[in-house]
Amino acid sequence: MVDRRQVMRFRVQAQQLARAHGTLVDTAVLDIGVQDTGPDGGGWALALRGVDRAASSGADLVLLWTVRGAPHLYRRADAGRVASAVAPWSDADAGKRIYDAAKPLRAAGIGNLEALDTVAAELRATVTEPMVKGDVSGRLNAVLPEPYLRFCRPCDATHIFEMPLRLAAVRAGLELQRDTSPPVLRRIPGFRAAADAGDRFDLVRAYLRLMGPATPGHVATYLDAPVREVKARWPEDVIEVTVDGEKRSLLAADEQSLASAAAAATRLLGPFDLFLQARDRATLVPDAARAKELWPVLGRPGAVLVDGELVGTWRPRKSGARMTVAVQPWQKLPESRRRAVIEQAERLAAHRAATLAGVEFPD
């Protein structure tokens, strides 16, 4: 039996959220990828783990469309192994990951992996210099046959299906140029996919190492992969634990860390921080109403993390060079915790190159 508080502390420690200083080399979350969505995305997630701004904004990081088609940051030196790790395991797995694009391909007798390879080849041939995504899509529309294309009502135009484009980009050796909107794609210099990702970048092992204990269902949902595919790749070196009556697995090497983990830190987690990406949301936030507040359909807030517990939400409001942070705690915060939240808001403002105008708490 494992208490959920142990699980939360273990994840804080595994994800290095309590440390003051770190480097890209020793930052564990870069093994699985740091989602870079929104102004408080990848750079802020790395800052929370002690990585300085120069390192998190430098050329040693690469931005790729990978898990769930979302943009993730990785160490540039690891790009080849990452490409191997994020590749679909089978045709069925590829079909699940590309969503509605699989149906017309199947009707045309085109395999899902075959389709990704076709799109990747066209992408590689097209993107010989940095190109805006819309221009890339337009070029692909002209050379790909009908099963690869869909009619987009908002644009009143025909485009390539979105997920095959995103998932094929890394197969083509393409990265996203950081801080571009709309996204700019360009070739990764010297790119070559590795034959084997290795244990460190294996997504199942990385999930267990950073967001365990977990079930195959948790990992499958995180990856948008079939559960049977995850079960087929479940590590043998795991132990079984029970969390809130549910049997889960943990890498055997992490057993002692689960038992002894500490989590003394206050952090303002970005809306897509890895800590909030774990698929056992009832473990993260047992109260259903609060979970709905933290993970709405649209417009996610950030989360206030205090000593291994999520204790509220926060939203930034920026006007020019000034920034206000509105905090909605789920419990009464003692004065010492309020001061810690204000210190983190000051840190966030500095990260955004803004001046903190204030931190708003409810009366």
Side-chain angles (χ1 to χ4, degrees):
M1 297 290 293
V2 176
D3 188 280
R4 64 166 291 276
R5 289 172 294 182
Q6 286 178 267
V7 173
M8 298 288 279
R9 290 194 294 266
F10 169 77
R11 293 179 186 175
V12 169
Q13 182 170 287
Q15 295 184 32
Q16 302 165 316
L17 278 164
R19 73 176 184 176
H21 303 287
T23 68
L24 297 181
V25 172
D26 64 13
T27 298
V29 292
L30 286 168
D31 296 347
I32 199 171
V34 177
Q35 187 165 336
D36 193 31
T37 299
D40 304 311
W44 178 237
L46 292 174
L48 291 177
R49 291 158 175 88
V51 179
D52 65 45
R53 190 176 184 85
S56 66
S57 60
D60 289 337
L61 289 176
V62 63
L63 183 63
L64 307 172
W65 277 322
T66 55
V67 179
R68 303 179 309 280
H72 285 76
L73 289 170
Y74 302 89
R75 304 175 198 90
R76 183 170 294 277
D78 298 332
R81 283 171 288 184
V82 169
S84 176
V86 302
W89 293 310
S90 69
D91 206 71
D93 182 19
K96 193 169 192 307
R97 297 195 199 195
I98 63 175
Y99 306 146
D100 54 342
K103 185 176 180 180
L105 292 171
R106 183 170 59 251
I110 301 171
N112 299 308
L113 289 174
E114 176 190 351
L116 288 178
D117 286 338
T118 297
V119 176
E122 294 295 349
L123 279 170
R124 186 70 181 174
T126 299
V127 183
T128 57
E129 59 183 10
M131 290 182 65
V132 175
K133 179 193 172 190
D135 293 340
V136 174
S137 178
R139 297 275 190 92
L140 295 181
N141 295 345
V143 296
L144 290 171
E146 185 176 346
Y148 292 83
L149 310 176
R150 66 178 179 89
F151 179 72
C152 176
R153 290 186 181 278
C155 298
D156 191 27
T158 298
H159 304 302
I160 181 175
F161 278 93
E162 184 69 15
M163 288 305 288
L165 170 63
R166 292 188 175 222
L167 297 187
V170 70
R171 296 167 85 88
L174 302 182
E175 64 177 297
L176 298 168
Q177 188 171 317
R178 295 181 67 183
D179 302 319
T180 57
S181 181
V184 172
L185 289 88
R186 64 187 182 191
R187 290 191 175 190
I188 304 171
F191 174 80
R192 178 175 294 180
D196 186 346
D199 284 354
R200 181 179 178 184
F201 299 97
D202 177 87
L203 292 177
V204 177
R205 296 185 68 87
Y207 188 103
L208 290 172
R209 192 168 67 246
L210 296 167
M211 291 179 279
T215 68
H218 295 149
V219 179
T221 304
Y222 175 78
L223 298 177
D224 276 339
V227 175
R228 66 181 180 276
E229 297 277 2
V230 173
K231 287 181 175 178
R233 291 157 181 83
W234 206 244
E236 294 183 358
D237 57 328
V238 296
I239 60 170
E240 189 176 90
V241 300
T242 301
V243 181
D244 293 334
E246 181 180 53
K247 291 182 179 179
R248 304 188 190 182
S249 295
L250 181 76
L251 292 174
D254 293 329
E255 182 177 9
Q256 184 56 43
S257 295
L258 177 64
S260 61
T266 297
R267 297 288 185 264
L268 297 183
L269 303 179
F272 293 92
D273 191 276
L274 186 67
F275 194 86
L276 304 178
Q277 297 277 12
R279 282 343 198 219
D280 56 341
R281 288 181 172 179
T283 298
L284 297 178
V285 183
D287 185 279
R290 290 171 175 171
K292 188 175 181 179
E293 179 184 341
L294 181 57
W295 293 290
V297 177
L298 296 173
R300 291 186 188 185
V304 181
L305 176 72
V306 175
D307 296 345
E309 287 291 337
L310 297 174
V311 300
T313 62
W314 64 273
R315 292 184 182 275
R317 187 171 64 250
K318 196 165 183 286
S319 177
R322 295 171 64 80
M323 177 178 173
T324 302
V325 176
V327 177
Q328 185 63 52
W330 295 333
Q331 60 195 53
K332 183 174 177 58
L333 295 178
E335 187 59 31
S336 62
R337 293 304 178 207
R338 286 196 173 209
R339 288 198 300 270
V341 169
I342 292 171
E343 288 174 2
Q344 291 301 306
E346 290 171 344
R347 185 179 179 189
L348 174 65
H351 177 78
R352 284 207 187 186
T355 299
L356 183 67
V359 179
E360 300 174 351
F361 292 94
D363 294 333

